[in-house]
Amino acid sequence: MTWDWQFAANSVPLILQGLLVTLQITVLGSLVAYTLGLVFALVRRARIPVVDQLLFLFIEFVRSTPLLVQIFVLYYVFPSAFGIRMSAFVTGVIAIGVHYACYTSEVYRAGIDAVPKGQWEAATALSLPRRRVWTSVILPQAVPRVLPALGNYTISMFKETPLLLAIGVVDLVNAAKAAGNESYRFVEVYTIAGLLFLLLSYPASLLVRRLERRVEPV
Amino acid sequence: MPDNANRIVSTILEGLPFTVIAAVGGIALTIVLSLAAGLALLSRSRAVRVIARVYVEGLRGTSEVVQLFWLYFALPALVGLQLVPLYAGILVLGLNHGAYGAEIVRGAVRAVPRSQVEGALALSFTPAQRMRRVVLPQAFVEMLPPFGNLFIQLLKSTALLSFIQVTEIVQRGEQLRPTHGADLPFIYVVELLLYLVLALVITAVMRLLERAACRRIGREPVRNRFLGGVG
């Protein structure tokens, strides 16, 4: 079987529609991961007994088990067990978002730890309210430092969205599969899918590397 | 626990050997490719560096699922070579994680102090001896923790093999899904616990290796205490 340019060109529009879904999930998943990760990091810093240990176990558990199984749990178990029924798309955003929040929480923790102790002492000396210590002193210094690491996780999320084809999300790869199914040709569609991933994630990773050089590493 | 807990557990356990073989095979291939590509990234020859860079960026830049589908569904049509699902899976796991591992190797080798190489030069070690006797044993210690993380990522990625019908843990669980609707929570708990145990095994092995590697280059904390905290 050889490469069929006509077929390749015809399948591009369908695959691009899938790319749009992949990008939507990546952006929404990143928003969940960025906010929830920060919440996890702040809650763990508060060192509330029991809550702290439970959150630690949850994070370690999520990080040591496959995202695919977590997706299945959200999609198949949550409706019957908790009466929470979500579309495949929303399930995907939440599964990827929560999974990566467990990674970003560590990133935020490292970023917060890297803020010099003097900054805390100065904030205390100025008797700033606790809320302002965080919003005006600590986070504005911690967050820029962790941006490259967060960016890397967004690129990872982008590359992990194809897992959602298991629950029927028509992402980039699933769209490619659908385009190939009609005539049972897969060389062109999967090559295009691969190239699209490369086309977006390689420049993105170069951008992150540039950002890495500009901010102080944690 | 559901009535047919025994049947569910035994069915999922039948998938365990496949998950373990995929993980071990993938890890072995990852180690080989990481070292080869990692050292190639540091090569003096520009051509070798470029080839290694294309491999690393190409595999890190695309999704593992696409790589798997490409190798399993597209390649056979292109060259007429149909891989056994498990082998295709191991190949993708190794190729993908090897690209990440190459960066770990490169970083660790570069982190070895320049004076170590100069010392080996002064002792007129051959380039091969320099690498094998001086640089790599020290770089090895730096590599182990990130490799531990990488291997756990690889273990989690073995679940993808269910997409190409390898009868590993997740695939076994999915086979049960249509007929065991009421036991789904139990099925997934069993799967998750198996992965957790396997991840703990990897972590434990890596800890042992780290201690052994430290001892080999005389960085054992126990030895420091023995010498009365020298250094």
Side-chain angles (χ1 to χ4, degrees):
Chain A
M1 200 190 264
T2 46
W3 181 272
D4 182 345
W5 283 105
Q6 188 58 47
F7 174 67
N10 288 342
S11 40
V12 166
L14 193 61
I15 299 177
L16 284 180
Q17 278 177 25
L19 176 63
L20 192 66
V21 174
T22 292
L23 288 175
Q24 286 167 343
I25 293 175
T26 307
V27 170
L28 294 173
S30 296
L31 287 179
V32 173
Y34 291 177
T35 39
L36 195 61
L38 183 59
V39 171
F40 283 172
L42 293 178
V43 169
R44 289 223 54 207
R45 252 196 104 79
R47 300 208 180 286
I48 309 159
V50 186
V51 174
D52 189 41
Q53 283 82 0
L54 283 177
L55 193 56
F56 170 76
L57 286 178
F58 175 77
I59 291 173
E60 288 303 311
F61 184 73
V62 169
R63 281 161 51 118
S64 329
T65 53
L67 176 55
L68 182 61
V69 182
Q70 293 162 12
I71 291 169
F72 285 149
V73 170
L74 270 185
Y75 195 62
Y76 295 120
V77 176
F78 270 47
S80 55
F82 306 103
I84 306 167
R85 193 171 295 280
M86 296 173 291
S87 71
F89 182 88
V90 175
T91 305
V93 169
I94 294 180
I96 291 184
V98 173
H99 187 86
Y100 277 92
C102 294
Y103 286 92
T104 54
S105 73
E106 283 298 298
V107 169
Y108 282 119
R109 189 188 55 77
I112 293 168
D113 284 349
V115 174
K117 205 167 162 237
Q119 298 288 324
W120 288 96
E121 289 163 357
T124 311
L126 292 168
S127 62
L128 284 180
R130 202 159 164 70
R131 204 189 155 79
R132 280 216 58 200
V133 176
W134 279 107
T135 56
S136 317
V137 181
I138 305 302
L139 289 180
Q141 297 183 72
V143 172
R145 254 189 257 232
V146 299
L147 283 180
L150 294 181
N152 275 329
Y153 281 124
T154 290
I155 299 173
S156 297
M157 280 184 245
F158 173 58
K159 289 181 291 187
E160 292 238 63
T161 45
L163 287 181
L164 296 171
L165 63 84
I167 55 168
V169 174
V170 187
D171 76 309
L172 175 50
V173 178
N174 211 357
K177 191 176 160 191
N181 265 337
E182 286 165 23
S183 48
Y184 215 71
R185 292 184 66 94
F186 294 103
V187 179
E188 293 85 357
V189 289
Y190 287 144
T191 307
I192 295 171
L195 288 176
L196 284 174
F197 269 109
L198 199 59
L199 208 66
L200 285 163
S201 69
Y202 185 59
S205 68
L206 289 183
L207 216 67
V208 168
R209 269 176 238 175
R210 258 178 73 180
L211 196 64
E212 248 162 22
R213 277 199 290 272
R214 278 186 43 187
V215 302
E216 261 179 275
V218 178
Chain B
M1 253 200 254
D3 302 331
N4 33 17
N6 264 336
R7 216 180 86 73
I8 291 173
V9 171
S10 63
T11 306
I12 295 176
L13 277 179
E14 279 168 32
L16 185 61
F18 289 91
T19 297
V20 171
I21 292 170
V24 171
I27 287 173
L29 192 56
T30 297
I31 294 171
V32 173
L33 287 172
S34 305
L35 279 175
L39 295 179
L41 284 173
L42 294 162
S43 163
R44 260 189 227 154
S45 147
R46 198 184 147 77
V48 172
R49 278 203 314 269
V50 168
I51 293 168
R53 189 42 73 191
V54 168
Y55 160 66
V56 169
E57 299 300 345
L59 277 121
R60 292 202 317 170
T62 53
S63 170
E64 216 174 346
V65 178
V66 180
Q67 291 159 17
L68 191 66
F69 283 8
W70 201 88
L71 200 77
Y72 191 67
F73 297 114
L75 193 69
L78 218 51
V79 299
L81 173 82
Q82 179 65 61
L83 288 164
V84 180
L86 182 61
Y87 293 160
I90 291 176
L91 205 54
V92 167
L93 289 173
L95 282 169
N96 183 285
H97 293 88
Y100 289 90
E103 286 291 351
I104 297 177
V105 171
R106 189 183 71 104
V109 169
R110 283 198 21 185
V112 174
R114 178 101 194 103
S115 54
Q116 292 289 328
V117 179
E118 284 161 2
L121 271 171
L123 293 168
S124 63
F125 278 25
T126 66
Q129 283 174 328
R130 225 153 59 211
M131 196 42 99
R132 211 169 64 81
R133 300 262 178 212
V134 180
V135 177
L136 279 184
Q138 296 182 59
F140 197 55
V141 178
E142 303 296 321
M143 283 178 214
L144 285 173
F147 263 114
N149 289 333
L150 188 67
F151 295 157
I152 291 188
Q153 296 290 348
L154 188 145
L155 168 70
K156 296 195 297 177
S157 290
T158 59
L160 297 185
L161 270 53
S162 63
F163 289 165
I164 56 167
Q165 312 306 322
V166 176
T167 49
E168 43 69 77
I169 293 176
V170 175
Q171 173 74 7
R172 290 283 179 191
E174 289 309 282
Q175 286 168 353
L176 289 171
R177 190 156 55 77
T179 48
H180 292 73
D183 304 328
L184 278 181
F186 182 71
I187 293 175
Y188 291 123
V189 165
V190 172
E191 288 180 26
L192 291 170
L193 285 179
L194 282 177
Y195 282 108
L196 197 62
V197 170
L198 290 174
L200 288 175
V201 170
I202 291 179
T203 310
V205 171
M206 293 310 285
R207 289 264 161 78
L208 282 177
L209 280 176
E210 268 168 55
R211 290 179 59 175
C214 278
R215 203 173 304 130
R216 193 163 153 229
I217 61 165
R219 264 195 224 166
E220 243 268 278
V222 176
R223 193 169 149 186
N224 276 350
R225 217 177 301 140
F226 183 71
L227 292 172
V230 175

